[in-house]
Amino acid sequence: MKTMTLDDLLKNPLTENNKNIALEKSKEIWIKQIQENPNIKYFGAVENGKVVSTCYCVIIPNLTNFCQPICFVENVVTDKNYRNQGLGKKVIYKAIETAKKAFDMRI
């Protein structure tokens, strides 16, 4: 499991929807909205240099529940050739553990 970079995500699109996405648009979004935001993290499982499963988490400040932030885990995707091996669960757990440590969250 590792924290993903833009290069990791662009080298190995896991869904058909992402194969034709404009490279420059992806870079612009990553640089302006994701890279510098400490509340957004991407995680992935890599096998033999290939990204085979990913997810991201977003930490959102919260005024309820004793002002504890909320963590949303989204876009869990696993390469069709690597499904049913628990990789999706592993990237989700990595996201949750990172959120717990970074934001002293209870999950």
Side-chain angles (χ1 to χ4, degrees):
M1 293 305 116
K2 70 176 259 182
T3 302
M4 297 278 99
T5 65
L6 176 61
D7 288 337
D8 292 326
L9 296 169
L10 293 178
K11 277 193 283 188
N12 301 293
L14 291 175
T15 66
E16 292 296 319
N17 298 347
N18 291 351
K19 288 190 177 179
N20 296 317
I21 194 165
L23 183 60
E24 290 307 312
K25 182 67 173 173
S26 295
K27 287 180 180 179
E28 178 184 336
I29 290 169
W30 184 271
I31 291 167
K32 289 183 178 179
Q33 299 177 35
I34 298 171
Q35 181 174 277
E36 299 300 321
N37 188 335
N39 293 342
I40 301 174
K41 300 284 184 202
Y42 280 76
F43 302 96
V46 179
E47 186 169 301
N48 297 321
K50 178 181 179 181
V51 177
V52 295
S53 186
T54 62
C55 76
Y56 75 90
C57 72
V58 178
I59 309 297
I60 301 172
N62 185 16
L63 296 178
T64 60
N65 197 25
F66 304 103
C67 295
Q68 287 290 310
I70 300 169
C71 175
F72 290 98
V73 177
E74 294 284 340
N75 291 349
V76 181
V77 181
T78 301
D79 183 294
K80 65 183 177 183
N81 297 316
Y82 292 84
R83 292 183 183 155
N84 299 312
Q85 298 178 33
L87 296 172
K89 287 179 186 177
K90 288 180 180 178
V91 294
I92 290 170
Y93 290 142
K94 177 70 172 169
I96 291 170
E97 286 305 310
T98 299
K100 281 181 175 180
K101 288 178 185 174
F103 297 94
D104 192 29
M105 296 179 69
R106 290 175 283 149
I107 308 241

